[in-house]
Amino acid sequence: MISVIVLSALVVGAKTYDTTSRFEYLLSLLDTAVTLFFLAEITIRMAAEPRLRDFFKSGWNVFDLIIVLASIIPVDSTDTVLIARLLRVFRALRLISMIPELRVLLNALVVSIPRMGYVALLMFIIFYIYAAIGSFVFEGVDEFLWGNISLAMLTLFRIATFEDWTDVMYDTMELYPYSWIYYVTFIFLTAFIFLNMMIGIVLEVMQSESEKYKAEQGDDPQLDNRALRQELVQLRAQLDRVETLLRNTNKSP
C-alpha cells in the first residue's frame, strides 16, 4: 500500500515536466490503475467491518475515504483538470494514515496547536509593541520599512527570520547609535525564548502521544509493570486465603 502511494506521488510529479508528454498515455494508465487500486482497497476495508458505521468512527478512515473519492474526479475533463490534479497531490497524505509513527507526529501537532496559540498570542503582543516603537522612532530612517505599524510588523518578521536583519539595524544605527538594543532584545525574545517555548510544547505533546500509542499497542513498560503488580497482589490474596483454610482445617478435630 505504501509503495502504491509513493508511485501515485511520483506519477503526479512526473506530469509537471514537459518532457513527459510522450509518456502521457502511460502516465494516464498508471493514474487510473492507482485510482482503482485505492477504490478497491477502501471498499475492502469498509466491507471488512462488521457494521459499516464502525468504519466512520475512525477519523483516519474518513480521511482516506475523502481522498479516494476526490481521486475519482476525471483528469481528462477540461473543466475539472486543474481541480483533479490538485486533489491527486493530496493522495501522498495517505502515507500519514498508513504509517503509525507519522500519525503520532500529526496527532501531536494537532493537539499542541491550542497550547501554541497562547504563545503565538504573546508573540503578537511583543511584535505589536516593538512595531509601534519602531514606527514612531525609525520612521525618518526608512519610511518603506517603518512607515506605519503594519510595515513595521513585516520588518520585524523579517528580522525574526534573520533575513538581512543586520542591514536594517546598521541603517538605523547611523542616526540612533544605541538602536542595536532594540534589535538585540527583540531577537532574544522571539528567536530564543518564544521559539524554545514552541519546541518545548511540541516535545511534551509528542511524548504524551507516543506513550498513548505504546499503551494502545501494549508496549508500554509502565503498563506492564502495573499489570504485574496487580497479578502479584491477587496471587498474594489467594495464598492468604489458602493459608487461612489450612489453619482452619488443622484446628478442626
Side-chain angles (χ1 to χ4, degrees):
M1 190 63 200
I2 294 176
S3 300
V4 175
I5 295 173
V6 173
L7 176 63
S8 172
L10 293 177
V11 169
V12 174
K15 289 184 177 181
T16 61
Y17 292 91
D18 296 334
T19 56
T20 59
S21 58
R22 60 181 181 272
F23 302 109
E24 188 70 26
Y25 180 71
L26 177 60
L27 293 176
S28 298
L29 286 179
L30 287 175
D31 182 78
T32 303
V34 169
T35 302
L36 293 176
F37 180 85
F38 283 162
L39 185 61
E41 184 263 344
I42 203 71
T43 303
I44 293 173
R45 285 169 55 186
M46 295 175 67
E49 293 288 344
R51 294 180 299 178
L52 182 59
R53 62 182 181 181
D54 292 339
F55 177 85
F56 297 96
K57 291 181 179 180
S58 174
W60 292 110
N61 291 339
V62 177
F63 174 79
D64 290 340
L65 180 62
I66 292 174
I67 293 180
V68 171
L69 293 178
S71 301
I72 300 177
I73 298 177
V75 75
D76 297 330
S77 175
T78 56
D79 297 332
T80 61
V81 60
L82 180 59
I83 298 176
R85 287 179 177 177
L86 290 175
L87 291 176
R88 276 161 170 74
V89 174
F90 291 100
R91 291 194 299 198
L93 290 175
R94 293 203 63 192
L95 282 174
I96 299 176
S97 62
M98 293 291 107
I99 303 177
E101 289 76 9
L102 292 181
R103 292 204 303 265
V104 172
L105 292 176
L106 185 60
N107 288 333
L109 177 62
V110 173
V111 173
S112 61
I113 286 176
R115 300 176 61 181
M116 289 192 296
Y118 294 104
V119 180
L121 178 60
L122 182 58
M123 287 181 64
F124 175 79
I125 295 173
I126 298 299
F127 265 79
Y128 191 85
I129 293 174
Y130 272 81
I133 296 173
S135 61
F136 292 151
V137 179
F138 304 140
E139 182 180 5
V141 177
D142 192 337
E143 188 175 354
F144 180 76
L145 297 178
W146 307 99
N148 53 56
I149 195 168
S150 300
L151 293 175
M153 291 187 72
L154 289 175
T155 303
L156 289 176
F157 183 79
R158 169 185 171 182
I159 295 171
T161 57
F162 300 104
E163 180 64 27
D164 294 333
W165 71 276
T166 53
D167 295 338
V168 180
M169 181 182 67
Y170 291 146
D171 290 340
T172 57
M173 286 181 63
E174 292 180 359
L175 294 178
Y176 304 96
Y178 293 100
S179 61
W180 61 268
I181 300 175
Y182 173 87
Y183 296 97
V184 170
T185 55
F186 176 77
I187 291 176
F188 180 79
L189 288 173
T190 56
F192 296 102
I193 296 180
F194 292 132
L195 181 60
N196 288 328
M197 290 174 66
M198 292 281 193
I199 295 174
I201 291 173
V202 174
L203 290 177
E204 181 182 355
V205 175
M206 284 182 59
Q207 183 179 2
S208 176
E209 291 296 322
S210 179
E211 291 176 354
K212 288 181 181 179
Y213 175 74
K214 290 181 180 179
E216 292 175 357
Q217 300 298 320
D219 298 332
D220 189 0
Q222 294 182 357
L223 184 62
D224 295 338
N225 292 334
R226 288 195 296 267
L228 181 61
R229 285 197 295 268
Q230 291 178 356
E231 292 179 359
L232 290 175
V233 170
Q234 294 176 359
L235 181 61
R236 179 67 180 179
Q238 293 177 359
L239 290 175
D240 290 340
R241 288 195 296 269
V242 171
E243 185 178 357
T244 302
L245 290 174
L246 291 175
R247 288 179 180 176
N248 294 335
T249 302
N250 293 332
K251 290 181 180 179
S252 58

